[in-house]
């Protein structure tokens, strides 16, 4: 029985290697699913076990400069990915309805293959989000939703660009996701930059709303497939998975919205609040700590000096 199971797994593995689109075989992390799966297991081990143990008896790292550079770099990367998706079809030849995978070697198809891989690879860079949380001991931010999203997304996208790298209608959700990440990392970058930018962060609540709009757009767009008289999209399994993905994450983020902003479970309790990726932390005695800066009712202490405000 065990030998039969192993044999079937190996047959499926060989099938995948044969089906891998030749245009992506030479890209990093595309030779087999083993590499990316090992990275993701290492990520889970690091952020759920090794990282917290390493930080248990250490003070949180500030990492202000690193976070500013990281977040604004991610803004630039995701903006470029959106542009490339647009120029690879979505703003040129696509109908925004039943757009098929292009398996040719045309310049536009190869451009779509390249940006699809860039989007996939960006998901591994985004694992740094959680690493920053661990090193800064922001344990409340390492939620099931956060871990699941960061580990599941790159794993599923390997299969997507293995079989359909020039994805047609199956790539819409990636373009929308990259656009949302431009906004998200811009917010994180401002947040990490310090108190002088806090007045520009009044729209934090709407970040979750933007995420919800993303999943609505993705689900509505992909749902067209079920109402068209005919659509010969080459890998219909991905259509079903994208619809499930959009709906599932809409439910998860809706629950977060309800808990945070309707029931108020993530709002300050006795003036105590911690926020995400660089935001301030407010503690009960009225002091305001942010990236090593202490603010109280009398002034701001920076590097040991008090400045009246």
């Amino acid at each position: 029985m065990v030998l039969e199971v192993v044999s079937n797994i190996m047959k499926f593995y060989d099938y995948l290697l044969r089906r891998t689109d030749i245009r992506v075989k030479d890209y990093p992390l595309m030779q087999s699913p083993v590499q990316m799966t090992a990275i993701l297991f290492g990520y889970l081990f690091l952020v759920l076990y090794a990282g917290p143990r390493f930080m248990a008896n250490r003070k949180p790292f500030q990492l202000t400069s690193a976070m500013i550079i990281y977040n604004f770099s991610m803004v630039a990367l995701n903006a470029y990915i959106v542009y490339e998706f647009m120029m690879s079809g979505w703003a040129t030849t696509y109908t925004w309805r039943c757009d098929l995978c292009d398996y040719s070697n045309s310049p536009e198809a190869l451009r779509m293959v390249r940006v699809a891989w860039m989007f996939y690879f960006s998901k591994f860079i985004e694992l740094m989000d959680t690493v920053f949380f661990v090193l800064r001991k922001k344990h409340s931010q390492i939620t099931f939703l956060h871990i699941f999203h960061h580990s599941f997304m790159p794993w599923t996208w390997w299969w997507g660009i293995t079989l359909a790298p020039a994805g047609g209608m199956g790539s819409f959700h990636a373009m929308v996701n990259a656009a949302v990440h431009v906004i998200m990392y811009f917010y994180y970058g401002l947040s990490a930059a310090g108190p002088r930018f806090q007045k520009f962060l009044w729209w934090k609540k709407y970040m979750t709303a933007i995420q919800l709009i993303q999943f609505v757009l993705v689900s509505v767009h992909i749902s067209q497939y079920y109402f068209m008289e005919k659509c010969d999209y080459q890998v219909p399994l991905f259509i079903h998975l994208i619809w499930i993905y959009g709906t599932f994450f809409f439910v998860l983020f809706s629950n977060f919205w309800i808990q945070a902003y309707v029931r108020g479970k993530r709002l300050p309790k006795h003036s105590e609040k911690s926020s995400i990726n660089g935001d301030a932390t407010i503690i009960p005695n009225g002091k305001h700590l942010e990236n090593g800066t202490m603010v109280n009712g009398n002034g701001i202490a920076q590097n040991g000096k008090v400045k009246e405000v």
Side-chain angles (χ1 to χ4, degrees):
M1 180 65 179
V2 174
L3 291 177
E4 183 179 352
V5 171
V6 172
S7 176
N8 288 333
I9 292 174
M10 293 306 299
K11 288 179 181 177
F12 179 68
Y13 180 72
D14 290 338
Y15 166 78
L16 279 177
L17 296 183
R18 291 196 305 271
R19 280 295 307 271
T20 299
D21 194 300
I22 193 171
R23 296 171 298 179
V24 296
K25 279 189 174 181
D26 293 331
Y27 281 87
L29 299 181
M30 291 308 304
Q31 285 67 47
S32 81
V34 174
Q35 297 166 309
M36 63 92 178
T37 302
I39 291 173
L40 294 174
F41 272 119
Y43 160 76
L44 293 174
F45 175 77
L46 174 66
V47 301
L48 296 178
Y49 179 75
R53 283 180 63 88
F54 174 78
M55 293 299 300
N57 298 314
R58 290 176 169 84
K59 294 182 179 180
F61 291 96
Q62 294 301 318
L63 304 175
T64 304
S65 297
M67 288 193 301
I68 292 173
I69 294 171
Y70 168 74
N71 286 311
F72 285 113
S73 296
M74 293 303 291
V75 170
L77 175 61
N78 280 280
Y80 180 71
I81 288 173
V82 172
Y83 174 78
E84 284 297 297
F85 270 124
M86 296 294 289
M87 293 299 101
S88 299
W90 288 103
T92 54
T93 59
Y94 281 17
T95 66
W96 294 60
R97 288 181 57 76
C98 183
D99 297 300
L100 306 181
C101 301
D102 186 349
Y103 289 101
S104 73
N105 286 318
S106 69
E108 188 174 73
L110 294 177
R111 191 172 187 175
M112 178 63 81
V113 170
R114 184 174 66 250
V115 69
W117 178 84
M118 288 178 61
F119 177 80
Y120 160 73
F121 190 75
S122 74
K123 298 303 152 189
F124 289 97
I125 301 175
E126 289 173 12
L127 300 182
M128 286 299 299
D129 292 359
T130 324
V131 174
F132 281 128
F133 285 151
V134 171
L135 294 178
R136 297 171 62 236
K137 302 184 81 167
K138 298 288 186 179
H139 302 304
S140 63
Q141 302 300 330
I142 307 176
T143 63
F144 167 78
L145 174 59
H146 177 89
I147 293 292
F148 182 79
H149 178 71
H150 277 69
S151 56
F152 186 72
M153 188 73 167
W155 193 82
T156 55
W157 252 80
W158 185 90
W159 307 95
I161 62 174
T162 292
L163 304 177
M169 68 185 303
S171 63
F172 176 76
H173 73 287
M175 182 177 65
V176 174
N177 183 252
V180 168
H181 281 196
V182 171
I183 302 171
M184 184 182 74
Y185 282 107
F186 180 71
Y187 171 88
Y188 290 161
L190 288 180
S191 177
R196 63 189 181 279
F197 291 98
Q198 293 303 307
K199 61 183 178 181
F200 301 114
L201 300 178
W202 54 267
W203 46 284
K204 174 185 176 181
K205 175 179 179 179
Y206 300 101
M207 289 299 301
T208 304
I210 292 170
Q211 294 275 20
L212 290 171
I213 292 170
Q214 168 190 200
F215 299 124
V216 170
L217 289 175
V218 168
S219 297
V220 169
H221 173 263
I222 212 69
S223 293
Q224 295 180 97
Y225 178 83
Y226 301 107
F227 299 98
M228 293 177 187
E229 184 176 342
K230 183 180 180 182
C231 181
D232 296 322
Y233 188 76
Q234 296 95 322
V235 194
L237 173 62
F238 291 157
I239 300 294
H240 310 317
L241 291 177
I242 291 168
W243 186 88
I244 293 170
Y245 182 89
T247 303
F248 179 66
F249 275 97
F250 179 82
V251 171
L252 288 180
F253 275 83
S254 295
N255 178 67
F256 175 85
W257 175 276
I258 292 171
Q259 299 299 324
Y261 302 115
V262 177
R263 297 181 179 177
K265 290 186 177 181
R266 292 181 64 87
L267 296 178
K269 295 181 179 179
H270 306 295
S271 298
E272 183 174 5
K273 181 175 77 172
S274 63
S275 59
I276 55 178
N277 200 346
D279 282 350
T281 299
I282 301 174
I283 57 177
N285 62 9
K287 295 178 181 178
H288 175 153
L289 301 177
E290 171 147 19
N291 300 328
T293 302
M294 180 177 70
V295 182
N296 56 31
N298 299 317
I300 302 176
Q302 294 178 306
N303 299 324
K305 297 181 180 179
V306 176
K307 176 183 177 182
E308 294 296 325
V309 294

